[in-house]
Amino acid sequence: QVERTKLSIKKELFHLQAQRFACQTDAQRALDKITKKMKYHQLAEKSVIEHKVYEGKGRPKKDAPVKRIEWQITAEIIESADKINDVVKQKSCFVLATNIDKKTLSPEELLKHYKAQSEVEKGFRFLKDPLFFVSSLFIKKPSRIDALLMVMTLSLLVYSIAQRRMR
């Protein structure tokens, strides 16, 4: 995630650095919009460059008057170790409540069994699939709907047994 956000922020900074602003505050506001999005990074250095715009095309003469001044911002970002550590600490916490005694299963075994449930639930995902419910709309009798469910459950059982044997 840190690398992904770094790439997206660098891309936004690249486009920001290509722009010129009418005043310094506009440039600073545009940079502040980007810095608000930074979760894992911080600004290493920033600078505001002044560009004079003269009348007419080409190279200006020595005594040519300045038409206006435009501002361009440049910035570099670095990873913030403190912010990254805070996010890691926040996301590394995992709460799993159960009524199983600690003597029966250790916390590591409990987590292993909990995560193993997702493999079973993957098989039943198709029962909730809207395409499955479309076929039940064409069946009028409740007994036939029950029969369809029985066939689907039986096919799920055969699928899971085949999957287990393959492993």
Side-chain angles (χ1 to χ4, degrees), residues 17 24 27 31 45-50 72-76:
Q17 292 171 3
Q24 282 182 306
L31 183 63
E45 54 184 75
K46 69 170 187 173
S47 62
V48 180
I49 302 168
E50 171 184 305
Q72 184 179 13
I73 197 159
T74 59
E76 286 293 322

Side-chain angles (χ1 to χ4, degrees), residues 60-106:
K61 296 177 183 173
K62 290 183 182 179
D63 58 342
V66 176
K67 183 178 176 184
R68 67 179 179 273
I69 296 176
E70 293 179 343
W71 301 89
Q72 184 179 13
I73 197 159
T74 59
E76 286 293 322
I77 60 167
I78 57 170
E79 291 181 7
S80 173
D82 295 335
K83 290 180 181 181
I84 293 171
N85 288 335
D86 289 343
V87 172
V88 167
K89 283 181 184 177
Q90 181 185 8
K91 291 191 175 191
S92 65
C93 181
F94 187 81
V95 178
L96 186 60
T98 183
N99 58 1
I100 297 175
D101 190 24
K102 286 185 179 180
K103 296 173 188 172
T104 309
L105 284 174
S106 70

Side-chain angles (χ1 to χ4, degrees), residues 3-19 34 37-38 75 77:
E3 288 300 318
R4 241 184 290 139
T5 55
K6 185 176 184 177
L7 289 175
S8 67
I9 290 170
K10 276 194 168 191
K11 185 176 180 182
E12 287 182 44
L13 278 175
F14 176 77
H15 291 294
L16 178 72
Q17 292 171 3
Q19 293 178 355
I34 294 174
K37 295 178 186 178
M38 291 185 195
I77 60 167

